[in-house]
Amino acid sequence: RCFGPCVDGNRDAYHEIVDQVIMVLEGRNAELEQLLRGRMEKCSQQLEFEEAAKVRDRLYALRQTLEKQRTVNVPGAEDRDVFGHYVQGRSVEVQVLFFRGGRMIGGRSFSFRESEAPLEELLSSFLFQYYKQALAVPAEVLTPIALEDAGALAEILTEQRGTRVEVRRPQRGEMRALVDLAMRNAKSSFEEKQLAGEAQRDLLEQVRRDLKLKLPPRRIECFDISTIQGQKSVGAMVVFENGQCNKARYRRFAIRSVEGQDDYGMLREVLLRRYTRAVEEDDLPELALIDGGKGQLNVAAAVFKDLGIEDLDVAAIAKARSEDGGHSLERFFIPGRSNPIILPQTSEVVRFLARVRDEAHRFAVTYHRKKRGAATLRTMLTDIPGIGPKRARALLSRLGSVAGIRAASEEEIAALPGLGQEVARAVKRHLDTKQVGSEDEQAAARSA
């Protein structure tokens, strides 16, 4: 079984494995091999043969992995980027393999769909854009085709790196073999993405069938409300497109018109604000998913009727109450049906939509904590005699957090613009006696 905390695994064993993975990623392979050998010998001496066998297997797997890396250690430039491509119709997949210290350490692929540009023009333009944002420039760049702008690109990269950079297209030998490897990887990447795309389309079609939707939900907008007794209430919207989250389209809503604990009123406000704008911009999704039950579904249906978008598919997702303390079922509510839809809980549809709902909940709770924390921070500081909103902002701007202010000396605080010795003394006296204890104060400390 997994050692992870989510399955109540051994925390110490889990962190040990994480630390060992980090050592591999940092290139500390020899150090890790020595560590595992020592552990294996110690277990054997203590007659813990089962544990010694586990460590032996881990050491063997590590050596296999490292041996595979050593097989691609090619002489020449220590740092090298190797590019390959694969073309199918108007789709182009570009693959780059990274060699650092003479050893291949990984790669990355880029997809271009519906491309009209000639291959040489597309690849040349891509390379200029790619290295404009690259954190590191290698000494050598290998390309699969000859580029008319290779000389200009080499000059730019030489200036970025500070030493000579060569851009060339190898035609034979080991360098050409590396380009061929990048070409094969580009084809594999394209085929994997095609298969993944087909799987996502199949999943969305299954969502359509199970929830009786008009269209496969290419774009899903999911909403959640976060509040504690009506205080600092917020709404959140997350967006999934083609089965993947699109964080650029996430939105947060500070509740403006509802006071007190009125979840339905808050949801109505959020949906009105979002879909009034969506109607104006002709930017409607295929599915609006609400975290809640039948009551929340009815609120959404009423909002959509008011806005004249009754044909927009909407569904609510809720967990059934579990009286025996076991796992609760995910239930789906749709308009025109009194009873919930209960699907096999292991189905891909349930897992996918639960993941969408959980992401909306996470996003809403994070925003709620931030708002509460910011309000508590301001209150903690403005409670100090002589500290108003302006001085509170100055303290936080210069010292970063309440913890930073508490750690600063009285002289450091007094030296800040607009404060002085008397105010600094009051700040220190107040914070030295103030303990971070309540839930809101802990949220403030976290956000700080």
Side-chain angles (χ1 to χ4, degrees):
R1 290 179 60 191
C2 172
F3 282 104
C6 56
V7 291
D8 298 324
N10 184 307
R11 181 175 292 272
D12 292 337
Y14 175 73
H15 283 295
E16 179 185 357
I17 291 174
V18 171
D19 290 340
Q20 292 175 7
V21 170
I22 292 173
M23 292 174 72
V24 173
L25 296 177
E26 291 178 342
R28 297 157 56 197
N29 304 320
E31 181 182 346
L32 178 55
E33 284 193 50
Q34 184 178 357
L35 176 68
L36 292 177
R37 279 199 305 271
R39 169 69 66 82
M40 184 172 61
E41 292 169 2
K42 181 179 179 181
C43 290
S44 297
Q45 291 169 2
Q46 296 176 348
L47 305 182
E48 298 174 352
F49 299 116
E50 185 176 345
E51 183 63 26
K54 291 180 181 178
V55 178
R56 178 204 62 203
D57 293 343
R58 194 178 304 170
L59 180 59
Y60 176 72
L62 173 67
R63 286 172 173 167
Q64 275 194 315
T65 302
L66 298 179
E67 188 60 37
K68 290 177 182 177
Q69 290 186 2
R70 292 186 185 107
T71 63
V72 293
N73 191 340
V74 179
E78 285 288 295
D79 295 343
R80 175 190 294 122
D81 286 350
V82 182
F83 288 86
H85 68 269
Y86 177 74
V87 180
Q88 186 174 102
R90 292 191 295 169
S91 296
V92 180
E93 191 80 8
V94 175
Q95 176 81 34
V96 54
L97 302 178
F98 308 117
F99 288 77
R100 298 295 181 266
R103 180 176 296 168
M104 187 173 75
I105 63 170
R108 188 178 176 190
S109 62
F110 301 84
S111 302
F112 301 90
R113 302 292 179 255
E114 306 299 323
S115 174
E116 300 289 349
L119 179 60
E120 191 234 337
E121 181 181 328
L122 184 147
L123 186 58
S124 180
S125 176
F126 166 76
L127 289 173
F128 277 99
Q129 290 296 319
Y130 174 79
Y131 283 111
K132 187 177 181 180
Q133 302 173 10
L135 297 177
V137 175
E140 187 175 63
V141 175
L142 304 184
T143 64
I145 59 176
L147 301 179
E148 186 177 342
D149 297 330
L153 178 61
E155 289 182 14
I156 293 173
L157 297 185
T158 296
E159 185 176 346
Q160 285 182 235
R161 180 180 169 87
T163 59
R164 184 172 180 270
V165 175
E166 186 176 2
V167 178
R168 65 191 182 94
R169 175 209 177 195
Q171 299 188 28
R172 60 183 64 85
E174 291 180 329
M175 298 302 115
R176 183 64 214 184
L178 293 182
V179 172
D180 290 341
L181 174 62
M183 299 283 280
R184 292 194 298 272
N185 282 11
K187 181 179 180 181
S188 297
S189 175
F190 176 83
E191 292 172 346
E192 288 173 7
K193 290 178 181 179
Q194 288 289 98
L195 289 173
E198 290 175 9
Q200 288 296 343
R201 286 190 290 274
D202 290 344
L203 172 60
L204 297 180
E205 175 59 26
Q206 189 62 48
V207 173
R208 184 195 69 78
R209 289 197 297 265
D210 287 348
L211 297 189
K212 321 300 181 188
L213 308 179
K214 301 177 186 68
L215 296 170
R218 187 191 64 82
R219 187 166 102 232
I220 300 173
E221 295 182 353
C222 184
F223 297 85
D224 187 29
I225 302 296
S226 184
T227 182
I228 295 180
Q229 297 180 342
Q231 299 298 311
K232 304 295 177 186
S233 304
V234 301
M237 178 187 81
V238 301
V239 179
F240 276 62
E241 293 182 336
N242 296 317
Q244 303 296 322
C245 62
N246 182 354
K247 294 190 176 183
R249 298 197 65 145
Y250 284 19
R251 295 293 181 267
R252 303 182 299 186
F253 303 86
I255 302 301
R256 300 170 182 168
S257 62
V258 179
E259 295 183 1
Q261 189 71 33
D262 182 0
D263 291 355
Y264 292 165
M266 295 175 195
L267 179 61
R268 176 177 174 80
E269 177 188 326
V270 169
L271 293 176
L272 274 172
R273 287 165 59 184
R274 163 60 192 147
Y275 288 108
T276 298
R277 181 170 182 175
V279 169
E280 293 172 353
E281 298 177 352
D282 191 20
D283 184 35
L284 294 172
E286 283 75 30
L287 173 64
L289 184 65
I290 313 298
D291 182 9
K294 196 164 186 179
Q296 283 81 1
L297 177 70
N298 291 337
V299 170
V303 168
F304 295 166
K305 183 177 181 180
D306 291 343
L307 295 176
I309 52 173
E310 297 101 318
D311 58 341
L312 173 60
D313 277 321
V314 59
I317 176 174
K319 286 184 179 292
R321 289 188 177 89
S322 178
E323 296 179 358
D324 60 359
H327 291 292
S328 56
L329 298 177
E330 299 285 4
R331 303 176 300 160
F332 300 91
F333 295 88
I334 60 174
R337 178 176 172 136
S338 57
N339 295 324
I341 297 173
I342 301 179
L343 303 171
Q345 297 297 291
T346 57
S347 73
E348 287 294 323
V349 170
V350 171
R351 288 202 294 245
F352 169 60
L353 293 178
R355 180 163 65 93
V356 175
R357 184 268 318 280
D358 292 345
E359 174 67 358
H361 181 70
R362 179 202 65 79
F363 190 53
V365 168
T366 300
Y367 181 37
H368 189 215
R369 284 176 178 165
K370 183 176 180 180
K371 281 202 69 177
R372 285 165 44 216
T376 304
L377 275 175
R378 287 193 296 270
T379 301
M380 289 171 66
L381 294 176
T382 54
D383 280 349
I384 304 172
I387 298 294
K390 185 175 181 180
R391 282 177 168 173
R393 284 195 298 271
L395 281 166
L396 290 172
S397 174
R398 295 300 182 93
L399 299 176
S401 65
V402 171
I405 299 169
R406 184 183 281 115
S409 67
E410 187 175 308
E411 289 71 23
E412 289 175 311
I413 297 174
L416 297 178
L419 294 180
Q421 199 69 41
E422 185 176 343
V423 173
R425 191 175 301 115
V427 170
K428 290 295 293 180
R429 186 165 53 247
H430 181 87
L431 293 183
D432 286 346
T433 59
K434 182 77 171 177
Q435 296 298 320
V436 178
S438 71
E439 183 182 353
D440 277 350
E441 288 172 345
Q442 290 173 9
R446 284 193 298 269
S447 66

